[in-house]
Every structure is written in structure tokens, then in C-alpha cells.
Amino acid sequence: MKTLLQLEDVHSGYGLIEVLKGLNLTVGEGEIVAVLGANGAGKSTMLMTISGINQCRQGRILFNGEPIQNQPPHEIVHHGISQAPEGRRIFPRLTVRENLEMGAFQRANDEALRTGVEQVFATFPILKERQTQLGGTLSGGEQQMLAISRALMARPKLLLLDEPSLGLAPMIVTKIFDIIRDINRQGTTILLVEQNANMALHVAQRGYVLETGKIVLEDTAEHLIKNEQVKKSYLGG
């Protein structure tokens, strides 16, 4: 399997606080890779550093074998990486369709934009029904679908998902994870940060456990589900 994303000894943080303390991680082309960890472990910082929002202070981030650390976020998107951030962060005063258009700001032409919107609406039919509705008036689940769709509008090779189940009812969480599987089947590689370890490991092929800025465990999702440490800390076992 070709390695699509590779983090080598990545350090990052905020001010004098170092959050990531030598992170090593790989994502293969076509995979769903889950990263588990408690609040404050560094999961979101990792995604923001990959996206170019946080500075990589040390180490390398390779995408398709090319170093991309500390490139501006719009260039990271151009390379083929998009992120649906924690808390959704849609534009509440823009319509659903306008939110999608914002995600496609680097698409070449109107035809590409139309095609992208049609593909998103095929995956998320409810958004087609809501396309003229303001983003801020959507339900929590619909806003999460919009955040994922906006990221997909850039046609990423790698989709970064940060806590997609956060604050959602269990039935909606199941639907979101079904959609994540479908997106992956359609050819998009996914790096998934998620506190709902049970759902994450049932959708992923491999997983990492992140604690205080370091990877402490790496294995197949099947083995992690059975791991006593993981069951005790993250699966309620």
C-alpha cells in the first residue's frame, strides 16, 4: 500500500506549550485511520498542524512523498488535503449552497463547481433539500454533514475529520459514520480523530492512541478493539 501521509518526529504547540512531542504516524492511500485520545492529548493540534494552521516546530510532514510542513493552509488544500474541523465551523449566515461554494474556492471553473455540488447532494440528499437555507438554522447533524461536504468540495485525496460525532444524537452518529464509510469507498483516504472509540474503530482499518502528545499504541482496528488498555481507557471495558 502506498503511503499517502507521513508524520516524522512532529513537534507543535502554542506559545511556550509543546503539545505534540515527536509524533510519528502514517496513513496509507485508501485507508481510514483513527486517532484516539482523551481531551488535551493533541488530536486537534495534530490535524491543525497537518493543515498548516499550526506551525510544525520540528520534524517533517510528507504528503505523497513531498514535504508540506508549514506551507500556507490554501496550499495544503491545493495539494489535496481538506479538513472538517471540530465544532463544524460552518458559515451560519450563508446558505447551504454558499457554504459549499466556499469549500470550492480553488475549483477551476463553473462546471467543476456544479459537478462538485451534484456529487455532494448525491451523498447528502438532505442538503439538497436545504440548499437555500441558512447554515445556522440547520440541525446539529445537518451542520456536520455540511462541514464534511464543504471539505469534500475541494476534491481532497485526504480528508481530515475532527470529532464528527461531537454533540450528536446516537442515531445521527450512526448515520454520519455510515457516510464516512461511503466517502472512503468512493476513493477518499480519511484520517479520523474521534472520542467515540467504538464507532471509530469499527469504521477504520488501523488506529493510533495518542496520549499527551505522543503515540503510545498503534495497531489494526480489529486488534485495538480487543486490547485491554484500549477497552479500559476508551471502550468502557
Side-chain angles (χ1 to χ4, degrees), residues 132-191:
T132 59
Q133 192 170 323
L134 295 181
T137 67
L138 300 177
S139 69
E142 291 164 353
Q143 287 188 20
Q144 185 61 67
M145 293 177 195
L146 180 56
I148 294 172
S149 298
R150 183 180 60 188
L152 289 173
M153 285 296 293
R155 299 185 68 184
K157 297 170 187 166
L158 174 65
L159 177 62
L160 309 178
L161 294 178
D162 195 351
E163 304 286 4
S165 76
L166 187 66
L168 302 181
M171 187 168 63
I172 302 300
V173 170
T174 300
K175 186 172 184 178
I176 291 292
F177 275 88
D178 286 342
I179 290 167
I180 290 170
R181 283 193 186 93
D182 288 342
I183 291 168
N184 179 246
R185 289 191 194 107
Q186 292 167 24
T188 303
T189 304
I190 297 173
L191 179 58

Side-chain angles (χ1 to χ4, degrees), residues 17 19-20 38 41 45 70 72 74 79 89 99 103 106 120 123 125 128 137 142 154-155 166 206 209 215 224:
I17 301 172
V19 178
L20 303 182
T45 300
N70 296 329
H74 68 275
H79 284 301
R89 298 188 189 179
N99 268 273
Q106 295 199 79
V120 162
T123 304
K128 184 174 184 179
T137 67
E142 291 164 353
R155 299 185 68 184
L166 187 66
R206 290 191 304 114
V209 176
I215 298 295
L224 287 175

Side-chain angles (χ1 to χ4, degrees), residues 48-88:
M48 301 286 259
T49 304
I50 295 168
S51 295
I53 297 167
N54 275 28
Q55 183 182 15
C56 178
R57 298 175 174 179
Q58 181 181 320
R60 296 199 304 168
I61 301 172
L62 304 174
F63 188 66
N64 270 329
E66 297 295 325
I68 61 167
Q69 69 273 5
N70 296 329
Q71 293 187 13
H74 68 275
E75 290 188 14
I76 301 295
V77 174
H78 185 72
H79 284 301
I81 301 175
S82 289
Q83 181 174 350
E86 181 181 0
R88 299 142 202 167

